[in-house]
């Protein structure tokens, strides 16, 4: 793991799970340039660290993230350039990480904060969580992957409705829409997130990493290309120790002990 010291995020590793906490609670974890760089570094370090087999992204305090810190926007900045150097590398670091990523959505996720949650592989929502495509309220367009992830999660019509109307989607509605994996009560939230992520960290990590890559690219491929991709993936997975362990455990009628190798 990188020994980098972070100022705007907190990281910890427990049972193979790296938890990254956005830590600007007084600003609802709104993203400054520094925080975006630190988040990107943390996700890139997770790729290199064999100890890490799953990642949780969450926020300190009552919010997941309110998106771009509107106080941290410099006069005359080109937003497109800013996105290309901050949010876009972060979104790519999350999606290209060959390990599962859970957004533990502990409260409101607005603007690019919602996009970040959508870029994760799973979303566990606290009962007070909500999602807000806030961009329209300040005359901007969805960014940080929202136009990619949202239609894939809820369909084009609903994605457009959420973007144009900018209404807040509460946790239960988010679950009905398929935006979140599950909604958890405040009493059980932390325990459930760790339980869910620990389960992910005990899976055959290389196979899971490959599944993530294949599913993300799926809509861009023909059936023929998908079949080729699957055959290639199965060659790789078939050579892992985790595959051997999975078969051995099945034959011995026991639970497999996957190591991520
Ligand atoms: O830069 C680029 O490249 C462009 C990229 C843009 C990406 C984007 O994310 S654009 C969208 C930016 N985000 C927003 O527009 C959301 C703004 N915030 C809100 O709409 C609301 O705060 C929330 C719905 C998220 C929460 O509402 P509520 O009522 O629970 O809390 P609040 O009272 O509005 O906020 C609490 C504090 O957080 C408050 O500070 P104060 O008054 O206590 O000192 C508020 O100003 C601060 N805060 C909330 N959001 C942001 C923020 N400070 C800076 N930036 C924020 N985005």
């Amino acid at each position: 793991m990188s020994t980098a010291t972070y100022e705007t995020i907190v990281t910890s590793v427990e049972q193979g799970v790296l938890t990254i906490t956005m830590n600007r609670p007084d600003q609802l974890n709104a993203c400054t340039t520094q925080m975006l760089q630190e988040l990107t570094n943390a996700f890139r370090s997770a790729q290199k660290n064999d100890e890490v087999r799953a990642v949780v992204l969450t926020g300190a305090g009552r919010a997941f993230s309110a998106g771009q810190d509107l106080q941290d926007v410099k006069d005359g900045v080109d937003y497109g350039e800013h996105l290309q150097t901050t949010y876009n590398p972060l979104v790519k670091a999350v999606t290209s990480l060959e390990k599962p990523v859970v957004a533990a959505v502990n409260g409101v996720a607005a603007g690019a904060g919602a996009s970040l949650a959508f870029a994760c592989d799973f979303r566990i929502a606290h009962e007070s969580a909500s999602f807000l495509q806030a961009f329209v309220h300040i005359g901007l367009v969805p960014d940080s992957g929202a136009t990619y992830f949202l239609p894939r999660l809820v369909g084009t019509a609903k994605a457009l409705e959420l973007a144009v109307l900018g209404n807040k989607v509460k946790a239960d509605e988010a679950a009905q829409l398929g935006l979140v994996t599950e909604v958890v009560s405040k009493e059980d939230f932390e325990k459930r997130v760790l339980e869910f992520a620990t389960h992910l960290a005990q899976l055959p990590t290389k196979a899971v990493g490959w599944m993530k890559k294949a599913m993300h690219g799926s809509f861009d491929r023909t059936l023929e290309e998908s079949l080729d991709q699957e055959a290639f993936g199965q060659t790789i997975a078939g050579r892992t120790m985790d595959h051997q362990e999975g078969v051995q455990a099945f034959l011995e009628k026991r639970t497999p002990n996957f190591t991520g190798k």
Side-chain angles (χ1 to χ4, degrees):
M1 190 65 172
S2 151
T3 51
T5 330
Y6 299 119
E7 290 177 359
T8 63
I9 63 173
V10 176
T11 61
S12 64
V13 182
E14 190 183 337
Q15 297 178 69
V17 177
L18 167 67
T19 299
I20 304 173
T21 305
M22 297 177 273
N23 193 28
R24 303 185 69 236
D26 293 345
Q27 295 78 29
L28 305 188
N29 303 314
C31 302
T32 57
T33 299
Q34 181 183 4
M35 187 162 99
L36 293 164
Q37 282 164 350
E38 291 186 357
L39 285 169
T40 305
N41 287 344
F43 276 98
R44 287 181 180 159
S45 300
Q47 177 63 36
K48 296 180 212 143
N49 186 352
D50 288 343
E51 195 194 336
V52 173
R53 293 175 61 195
V55 177
V56 171
L57 176 64
T58 193
R62 70 178 176 92
F64 179 75
S65 169
Q68 171 62 35
D69 187 320
L70 298 173
Q71 313 249 30
D72 192 53
V73 180
K74 297 197 175 56
D75 275 349
V77 73
D78 179 320
Y79 290 161
E81 276 173 27
H82 185 239
L83 287 168
Q84 292 287 17
T85 54
T86 55
Y87 289 95
N88 293 1
L90 171 58
V91 170
K92 289 179 199 171
V94 174
T95 54
S96 65
L97 180 63
E98 293 167 7
K99 301 169 187 186
V101 182
V102 182
V105 187
N106 52 303
V108 64
S115 308
L116 263 186
F118 300 150
C120 296
D121 305 310
F122 301 91
R123 280 153 294 284
I124 304 276
H126 186 282
E127 62 184 354
S128 73
S130 58
F131 298 87
L132 174 63
Q133 288 291 286
F135 308 94
V136 70
H137 301 305
I138 54 170
L140 291 183
V141 302
D143 62 24
S144 309
T147 64
Y148 180 92
F149 297 111
L150 207 44
R152 282 166 169 76
L153 285 164
V154 300
T156 307
K158 193 70 192 178
L160 186 60
E161 179 192 313
L162 295 175
V164 171
L165 300 184
N167 293 333
K168 197 181 263 188
V169 177
K170 292 189 177 164
D172 285 341
E173 188 190 348
Q176 281 163 18
L177 288 173
L179 264 183
V180 303
T181 312
E182 59 186 79
V183 181
V184 184
S185 68
K186 62 174 182 291
E187 294 81 21
D188 296 333
F189 184 69
E190 279 182 30
K191 184 167 151 274
R192 177 63 188 140
V193 167
L194 187 60
E195 180 184 71
F196 186 83
T198 305
H199 172 70
L200 294 176
Q202 290 167 352
L203 295 175
T205 309
K206 287 196 192 315
V208 172
W210 186 88
M211 287 177 210
K212 179 172 166 172
K213 199 193 283 186
M215 295 295 180
H216 275 309
S218 141
F219 286 111
D220 304 322
R221 282 193 296 271
T222 62
L223 172 60
E224 194 156 314
E225 288 163 343
S226 292
L227 292 171
D228 288 346
Q229 178 86 0
E230 289 167 8
F232 178 69
Q234 211 63 299
T235 294
I236 308 286
R239 290 178 181 151
T240 61
M241 287 166 64
D242 279 343
H243 168 57
Q244 283 178 29
E245 165 63 7
V247 173
Q248 196 67 29
F250 174 79
L251 296 176
E252 293 171 7
K253 300 190 187 304
R254 62 172 172 82
T255 306
N257 178 22
F258 295 122
T259 58
K261 299 201 169 80

